[in-house]
Amino acid sequence: MVEINLSKGFNGFWINAGKFMETLGKGPLAINYFSKVLHSDPDNFTALYNICKIYRKNNQIKDAITYLDDFLEFNPENALAWQNKGFFLGKLGKKEEVETCQKTALKFYDADLEKNPKDALKWLNKGVVLDNLRKYEDAVHSYDKSLNLNPEYINAWKNKGYVFLKKEEYVEALKCFDEALKLKAYDFEIWLGKARSLNGLKEYYKSIACFNRSLKFNSNCTDAYYGKFFVFLDIKEYDEALKCLNQVMELDPKEKEKALYLMGILLGITHKYQEALDVFEELVQVNPDNPLYWEFKGRNLNGLKKYQEALECVNKALKLEPENSEIWQLKGHTLKAMNTYLEALNCFNTALKLDSKEATNWTSKGFLMEEMGSLEGLKKCFKQAVKRCDELIEEDPEDKYLLLLKASSLRGLELYDSALECVNKSIELDPDYDSALDLKGYILRKMGRYTEALTCFDKALQIDPDEAEYWYDKGRALCGLSRYEESLKCFDKALNLDPIHKEALCTKGVVLKKLGKETEFRRYVNMVLDINPLFEPARILKQLK
């Protein structure tokens, strides 16, 4: 039973009656009781807050906006009403109206606080509005004002922590959540925030433990399962990550589309292209107007070497989103795999026209130039890529992917010492980053350090034994050590995984020539030229006597 409080006349009675009706699931009756309070006391925070909470809980967005519009007609200076109206408009995707509401709420909170600067609750709500307006420093200041007046204000500590999360200041965020937990150890949202802070600090297993604590207090919290998914993704525990997504779909069918999308991404990352394709096939049936679903269906068809089908999907994605440089880049890679270099070049140029600041657009064109034998074009592209990577690394010096991309570009410019230094930084951040280990091996091979290169390729293959490129690169290192029979086994492994791997076919032919098998050498070179008559290394080998 809810204790009835008559200390403020009938308003206390109606507040308690409304809360009681809410616990019985009688939302409309509860709203009616809370509204009685607002008729006599329009500034009653508890009544209006609970009305909005009921509308949020029942997802009655339009009803909430109608109620608040009626209320604001007679109480146009009520900051909380404007704040909540902005929240509900946000659910309808009306961004401009949301901002107008939040700015109006801020104006009235300022006016209220000028009259009473010791109102901790209004400092808290002002912080929420500033947070919504992405004025994070001002939001922290407001939460601090609230906490100076009431150091045990749990929501102020919690909200301040979430602001620091948005600012990626994870140490400060963690301090706030720890303070909040001292006051309320069973709040699932606080444990959720602490888990995200620890994830940001790369304390992955501690983060998982906190997500689990959050679930202990709210077993239906899909945000906790999503959080665990991303942690497991970071630590490459992919089976556990998939379990989290399955749990999300079991808890909330409305989350199925989002969870399936993430599942498809994960399956693609782990080279389970057919399973990923099945997921995206389901998604394009559910929502055929989402360009992302067509894009990733195309990516996984590329993984299955079904390039014509991939191209059809990519074209559908571009029809829906013609200004997306990433999709144009994907189309370029698809056409390159189909050996239609000039069309691929046009796509990479279009991608650069749309976004010349994206480093991968430059590297994609650079590698095409390399394959076409255009040294001048190659250098121009990789120089631009290095320049852009440097700009981005200055903002985030611990981005392992950017460091890898820069190293790859420096490798394209044959600046091997600089490339090695860069890729080593990437590996320091993630010792199991197989792409970085493979690139390091490639660079060491180019520097003539074949034994060291071999160690790198072996490490990469331990992590991903189904990547054809790693077997090919290992074979090349073995060639450098004159271990030709072993290198042939590696090329065969690569070709089992990718039967049209042009470089593996060419190099296998060269090794066979070294072993005195001239006829076999000619056969492999011709196989490559049958696949791609424009492949420059094969054309050069064809001329050998």
Side-chain angles (χ1 to χ4, degrees), residues 349-387:
N349 284 335
T350 302
L352 283 165
K353 186 177 179 181
L354 291 167
D355 188 359
S356 61
K357 291 184 177 181
E358 174 54 54
T360 57
N361 288 336
W362 287 107
T363 55
S364 296
K365 183 178 176 180
F367 285 120
L368 177 64
M369 295 286 96
E370 185 176 43
E371 201 156 310
M372 293 174 72
S374 173
L375 186 61
E376 185 179 343
L378 175 156
K379 286 184 176 179
K380 178 184 176 182
C381 291
F382 286 127
K383 282 179 181 177
Q384 287 291 333
V386 170
K387 179 182 176 182

Side-chain angles (χ1 to χ4, degrees), residues 65 86 88-100:
I65 293 169
F88 288 113
L89 286 167
K91 292 291 184 180
L92 298 177
K94 298 185 177 182
K95 293 182 180 179
E96 290 182 9
E97 294 178 57
V98 170
E99 189 162 343
T100 299

Side-chain angles (χ1 to χ4, degrees), residues 206-252:
K206 289 181 182 179
S207 174
I208 291 168
C210 288
F211 280 124
N212 287 337
R213 291 284 285 179
S214 179
L215 287 164
K216 179 181 178 181
F217 298 117
N218 181 359
S219 59
N220 295 322
C221 180
T222 55
D223 283 345
Y225 282 109
Y226 279 128
K228 285 176 68 176
F229 164 79
F230 286 110
V231 177
F232 284 127
L233 199 61
D234 280 335
I235 61 178
K236 298 182 174 67
E237 292 190 21
Y238 300 125
D239 289 341
E240 292 300 317
L242 282 173
K243 287 178 186 177
C244 292
L245 295 177
N246 283 321
Q247 193 67 46
V248 167
M249 290 189 282
E250 186 178 323
L251 286 171
D252 187 354

Side-chain angles (χ1 to χ4, degrees), residues 335 339-349 368 372 534:
L335 289 164
N339 304 315
T340 51
Y341 287 170
L342 292 179
E343 290 179 60
L345 183 59
N346 287 334
C347 290
F348 292 137
N349 284 335
L368 177 64
M372 293 174 72
L534 299 176

Side-chain angles (χ1 to χ4, degrees), residues 409-544:
S409 303
L410 290 165
R411 188 282 301 170
L413 293 168
E414 298 184 355
L415 299 172
Y416 297 123
D417 288 329
S418 298
L420 184 60
E421 181 183 349
C422 203
V423 79
N424 278 336
K425 289 179 183 177
S426 182
I427 293 168
E428 281 174 20
L429 292 166
D430 182 358
D432 293 326
Y433 194 3
D434 51 313
S435 297
L437 288 165
D438 178 69
L439 179 59
K440 181 178 180 178
Y442 181 98
I443 295 164
L444 288 167
R445 178 176 68 79
K446 283 290 189 178
M447 297 171 80
R449 294 158 63 176
Y450 301 115
T451 302
E452 293 173 74
L454 204 56
T455 301
C456 292
F457 297 134
D458 282 337
K459 286 180 181 177
L461 284 164
Q462 283 176 5
I463 297 163
D464 187 356
D466 295 325
E467 176 55 62
E469 198 68 25
Y470 300 169
W471 285 108
Y472 165 70
D473 286 336
K474 181 178 179 180
R476 289 294 303 268
L478 287 164
C479 285
L481 294 167
S482 302
R483 291 160 61 177
Y484 298 121
E485 294 293 344
E486 291 175 71
S487 76
L488 287 174
K489 291 177 182 177
C490 289
F491 297 137
D492 286 339
K493 288 264 193 181
L495 291 167
N496 283 336
L497 293 163
D498 182 1
I500 57 171
H501 193 298
K502 299 184 293 292
E503 291 83 358
L505 288 166
C506 261
T507 314
K508 182 177 180 180
V510 171
V511 171
L512 290 167
K513 182 178 176 67
K514 285 181 178 291
L515 296 173
K517 299 180 180 181
E518 186 71 26
T519 303
E520 287 294 289
F521 161 68
R522 297 289 173 192
R523 185 168 72 86
Y524 276 96
V525 171
N526 288 331
M527 283 171 65
V528 176
L529 291 171
D530 287 341
I531 295 166
N532 182 5
L534 299 176
F535 189 60
E536 192 65 19
R539 293 172 69 181
I540 293 169
L541 290 171
K542 179 78 172 176
Q543 306 305 315
L544 293 178

Side-chain angles (χ1 to χ4, degrees), residues 1 139 158 187 255 305 338 376 391 399 412-413 516:
M1 290 290 291
K158 178 165 64 175
D187 186 316
E255 291 289 318
K305 317 297 181 189
M338 296 171 75
E376 185 179 343
E391 292 169 357
D399 188 320
L413 293 168

